[in-house]
Amino acid sequence: MTIFSYQDFKLLTINQCCLTLAIVMQEVIIAFQLYTITQNPLSLGLVGLTEFIPFVLFSLWGGYIADRFNRQRILQICFSLSMPLTALLWWCTDQQYIILIYTVLFLFGCIRGIYSPCFNSLRPFLVPKLLYAQAATWTSLCWQVCGVLAPILGGLCLSYLGLNSTFGLIFVLFMMGSLALWCMSQRTFPASVATSVLSSLKEAIQFIYQTKIIFWAIFLDLASVFFGGIVALLPIFAQDILHLQADGFGLLRAMPAIGSLITMSILVRYPIQKNLWRTMLWAVTGFACCTLMFALTRQIYLSMLVLFVMGACDSVSIVIRQNLLQLIPPQHLLGRVAAINGIFVTSSNELGAFQSSVVARFVTVVPAMLIGGTLSLLTVFLTHKKTRHIDYD
């Protein structure tokens, strides 16, 4: 029996595809429009910070709620709220109300903080344990497929159809994703022992710290992406260095996802089964090296190739980490572990985007990328030194 023989997993996958397309298209439009209006790198970093703060505040509560209540119903309600929010963001962007744009993004961060732990801890209840690895790979693969299509589609729509038509398409995607969730079968979930929020989260934090394979996997992702992530600086690099328009920026933004997509397709057929930790270290090393190489490129096709390889490296570490996070934690801790992992992953992306934009504001975009890539590489060496005597495989 294949993974898609399970109806609810198919519906959750449809929801994931709609969510990824809508969110990434929205990110592409907002980033390009903000930098076009302000010409200030800090405007891009503030996007990440605005989404990160509420995500952290609500994600810990979201993990607690996911383990105590019906995570599927919470997921349905939260996703439905995305439709009025994207309509409001549509209006704010069209009117160029910068402060209101950040306000709506803050609200999206609140919903995401509650939504993410529920989504990430729901999948193990939809398929048998023997199919967890396959489900994790397919989830990552679907995310990458939509990650490829979304920036290209967003850039093309913005260039040729205009802002209103693009946001209209995003609204429809949110609506379709919401309908998929409401079509899922009703189910109950095992509830954790009734404790306070702080005690509940302390249990999950202790589990992560004591389970070294999870602790170092999360740390490696956090540190490497915090310093080495360059997606937030792509609007600046595209406009000021490569002199691209919205459609060219969308294509550039899609290249990491294309690299991830092809790699995920290979991993579906040939999953990683040996030397997991060593493979993850090499993958993150490649990610950091690509950051350094991209900063030095001045030709669009070479830039695209480097981003392609970067996405391929990132996908390997994603698959290994997601599989570990499904297999190792006990079921009554899945929501809280997913919430804590989500906070670290978001920290690396959003705070990394903010620090990159701040550095770029003072030393320009190319030195900022070189500094970040070097620091990312150093985190890999540190992690290797701390874990070389521990058998993770």
Side-chain angles (χ1 to χ4, degrees), residues 210-341:
Q210 293 170 0
T211 311
K212 297 302 183 182
I213 185 171
I214 293 182
F215 174 83
W216 285 107
I218 292 176
F219 170 80
L220 185 61
D221 177 80
L222 168 66
S224 61
V225 177
F226 177 82
F227 293 117
I230 60 175
V231 172
L233 300 179
L234 284 183
I236 307 172
F237 202 88
Q239 294 186 46
D240 296 351
I241 306 297
L242 298 178
H243 308 292
L244 302 175
Q245 300 301 317
D247 51 350
F249 164 64
L251 182 60
L252 201 67
R253 178 67 169 75
M255 290 312 298
I258 294 175
S260 295
L261 170 60
I262 294 177
T263 304
M264 294 285 187
S265 301
I266 297 172
L267 293 178
V268 167
R269 185 168 179 82
Y270 304 103
I272 302 171
Q273 297 178 339
K274 297 181 179 180
N275 299 320
L276 297 179
W277 188 244
R278 186 183 305 171
T279 302
M280 189 170 182
L281 287 173
W282 277 114
V284 180
T285 301
F287 179 88
C289 291
C290 286
T291 301
L292 295 171
M293 293 175 61
F294 183 82
L296 302 176
T297 62
R298 294 296 181 272
Q299 210 276 339
I300 182 172
Y301 294 109
L302 181 57
S303 299
M304 292 167 59
L305 177 61
V306 173
L307 290 175
F308 175 92
V309 177
M310 176 183 287
C313 294
D314 190 40
S315 66
V316 174
S317 64
I318 289 174
V319 168
I320 294 175
R321 190 176 66 255
Q322 283 194 352
N323 197 17
L324 294 174
L325 290 172
Q326 284 187 115
L327 287 172
I328 296 177
Q331 285 196 339
H332 73 279
L333 282 175
L334 280 172
R336 282 164 287 172
V337 171
I340 294 171
N341 175 68

Side-chain angles (χ1 to χ4, degrees), residues 345-367:
V345 170
T346 303
S347 299
S348 63
N349 287 296
E350 310 300 356
L351 291 183
F354 181 71
Q355 71 85 18
S356 296
S357 66
V358 171
V359 176
R361 174 67 177 82
F362 292 102
V363 300
T364 70
V365 64
V366 173

Side-chain angles (χ1 to χ4, degrees), residues 72-90:
Q72 181 173 309
R73 183 53 53 86
I74 297 168
L75 196 62
Q76 292 166 336
I77 295 172
C78 287
F79 201 89
S80 297
L81 294 174
S82 62
M83 289 184 287
L85 279 183
T86 200
L88 181 58
L89 185 61
W90 178 354

Side-chain angles (χ1 to χ4, degrees), residues 30-50 98 102 105 232 236 354 357 361:
I30 294 300
F32 195 84
Q33 291 293 103
L34 280 175
Y35 188 67
T36 300
I37 295 169
T38 65
Q39 293 295 304
N40 188 345
L42 286 177
S43 66
L44 302 176
L46 288 174
V47 170
L49 193 63
T50 302
I98 305 299
Y102 287 119
L105 292 176
I236 307 172
F354 181 71
S357 66
R361 174 67 177 82

